[in-house]
Amino acid sequence: MNTDFGMTRDGKKALLYTIRNKKGMNAQISNFGCAVVSVMVPVKDGRTIDVVLGYQNVNGYEDNPLSAGCCIGRVANRTGNASFTLNGKEYHLEANEGRNNLHSSLVSGFHKRIWETVSEKDDSVSFRMESPDGDEGFPGSCITTVTYTLTDDNELVMRYDGVCSQATPWNVTNHSYFNLSGHDSGSAEDTVLWLDASSFTPVDAESIPTGEIVPVAGTPMDFTVPTAIGERLHDDYEQLKLTGGYDHNYCLNHKAGELSLFCRAVSPKTGLTMEAYTDLPGVQLYTGNFIREAAGKNGTVYRNYDGFCLETQYYPDNLNKEQFPSSVMEPGETHTTVTVYKFS
């Protein structure tokens, strides 16, 4: 089922799609930015709560300084010096975070466009984005299809399929902010988090990975034992001080390409648990360090640390770090990745 989600400022109609399962869970997805607008999950007392931060209509997503809920592409996260070399040729991207690039383009990236709807069912919806050669500075044309499915096991499954005309980077992610106590419940710092990641990629003062892969053991970065997000968030630790909290790529322990459990998050307020699975090598844990004050759904004002992101990905700046797993997609093959968020 789809409903009107408002008009963009250049006069295009945006739609909101609702998908449902048989357990009373539903999710709303917009064709603007391929954005997850709400995820309504049943909790113990019979209520359903919305566990993602978001906006009331399409104009909120047009502004969207948080990139909340959206599909980010062609390349999510940061690329140092807003440039990279591929097959001997140098490519230049939008320098939109100092001299570096964040999320390909903050003006016209995948999260700022209306996607084509290719399939709509009771429990799933699929969107397609055709990105031409040279778009955002990247080589080759690229078609990305994203399918959201809600299973009867209360899983929100995100499947990404990409195909390109020539070798090109392709590192697409979803940028939802979760709060398992409800999007309007304030700080998510009490969320207890476990990550199956024994190492992370530290960053420099510009939030670009240094190229090192460092063990989390003995540092505030360690979530291999379940720990509240806020317990060490404000510790006197250089990596946390550089980024105002957690905004780091974790190197997941699972075998490359294998869909595996990598995260478990629990709200002590609602008892709601979210398990996350991916076949990608990394995840960016971002704790909403720079939300400040953002006007969200139903009159809610979001502030720092009111949600956390688990952006599954290839490591940031992998295009300039040969030691990192490569996000380059070769032509003539369909590249597929899957990420799952399961609620109980």
Side-chain angles (χ1 to χ4, degrees):
M1 181 182 76
N2 68 72
T3 55
D4 184 6
F5 199 46
M7 298 289 287
T8 64
R9 296 189 180 101
D10 60 358
K12 295 174 182 171
K13 184 178 180 180
L15 296 173
L16 189 65
Y17 295 82
T18 302
I19 57 176
R20 306 178 186 277
N21 70 8
K22 295 174 182 174
K23 297 284 185 68
M25 184 174 164
N26 71 73
Q28 292 184 308
I29 320 288
S30 177
N31 63 342
F32 186 89
C34 201
V36 177
V37 174
S38 70
V39 177
M40 302 295 297
V41 184
V43 290
K44 285 186 290 190
D45 59 9
R47 295 178 300 136
T48 58
I49 60 171
D50 184 358
V51 297
V52 295
L53 280 58
Y55 305 99
Q56 200 66 31
N57 55 45
V58 69
N59 300 135
Y61 287 91
E62 282 187 284
D63 297 330
N64 200 2
L66 312 180
S67 303
C70 289
C71 183
I72 306 293
R74 239 182 247 192
V75 171
N77 217 309
R78 293 173 173 90
T79 301
N81 293 310
S83 64
F84 64 95
T85 299
L86 180 60
N87 294 334
K89 183 175 179 181
E90 189 172 24
Y91 295 91
H92 296 275
L93 312 176
E94 179 183 290
N96 56 23
E97 193 180 61
R99 61 187 179 138
N100 304 309
N101 174 267
L102 175 65
H103 296 333
S104 299
S105 172
L106 299 182
V107 177
S108 60
F110 284 15
H111 62 302
K112 298 287 189 177
R113 307 180 194 181
I114 288 184
W115 292 54
E116 175 192 358
T117 305
V118 293
S119 173
E120 180 187 358
K121 300 176 184 177
D122 289 344
D123 62 353
S124 71
V125 62
S126 296
F127 302 100
R128 180 179 183 270
M129 170 63 63
E130 185 163 355
S131 175
D133 183 21
D135 188 21
E136 304 175 307
F138 294 107
S141 62
C142 175
I143 296 172
T144 300
T145 304
V146 180
T147 302
Y148 296 100
T149 302
L150 204 53
T151 75
D152 289 334
D153 289 327
N154 283 357
E155 297 167 323
L156 179 61
V157 181
M158 303 178 181
R159 173 180 167 136
Y160 306 87
D161 293 288
V163 63
C164 59
S165 65
Q166 68 184 82
T168 192
W170 190 72
N171 191 11
V172 182
T173 196
N174 180 272
H175 205 290
S176 286
Y177 291 73
F178 295 99
N179 187 321
L180 301 179
S181 301
H183 81 100
D184 53 358
S185 65
S187 175
E189 291 180 68
D190 63 351
T191 304
V192 177
L193 185 68
W194 167 82
L195 292 174
D196 186 26
S198 301
S199 56
F200 78 108
T201 52
V203 297
D204 63 19
E206 296 176 295
S207 289
I208 301 298
T210 63
E212 301 167 279
I213 295 175
V214 172
V216 298
T219 78
M221 311 303 290
D222 190 352
F223 287 97
T224 58
V225 174
T227 306
I229 287 173
E231 184 170 318
R232 299 166 303 195
L233 182 67
H234 308 288
D235 279 12
D236 185 13
Y237 179 70
E238 183 188 31
Q239 284 297 306
L240 295 177
K241 293 173 82 171
L242 284 172
T243 54
Y246 297 99
D247 190 8
H248 295 81
N249 171 71
Y250 280 79
C251 309
L252 299 177
N253 291 338
H254 65 233
K255 185 179 176 183
E258 188 176 275
L259 185 66
S260 302
L261 175 70
F262 73 88
C263 171
R264 185 176 293 106
V266 182
S267 163
K269 291 183 184 132
T270 61
L272 189 62
T273 296
M274 181 177 77
E275 294 182 332
Y277 302 75
T278 194
D279 52 12
L280 286 163
V283 64
Q284 187 84 2
L285 171 64
Y286 176 51
T287 47
N289 314 328
F290 300 105
I291 294 175
R292 297 187 177 91
E293 290 196 357
K297 293 178 284 193
N298 305 318
T300 304
V301 176
Y302 302 128
R303 294 180 171 85
N304 290 357
Y305 316 120
D306 278 4
F308 62 95
C309 301
L310 296 166
E311 305 158 60
T312 55
Q313 61 181 4
Y314 292 94
Y315 304 172
D317 203 33
N318 70 83
L319 301 173
N320 295 309
K321 305 282 194 300
E322 290 185 0
Q323 67 271 40
F324 288 176
S326 174
S327 63
V328 173
M329 175 169 59
E330 297 295 335
E333 59 184 37
T334 298
H335 192 75
T336 300
T337 76
V338 175
T339 295
V340 179
Y341 300 100
K342 181 178 182 178
F343 302 89
S344 61

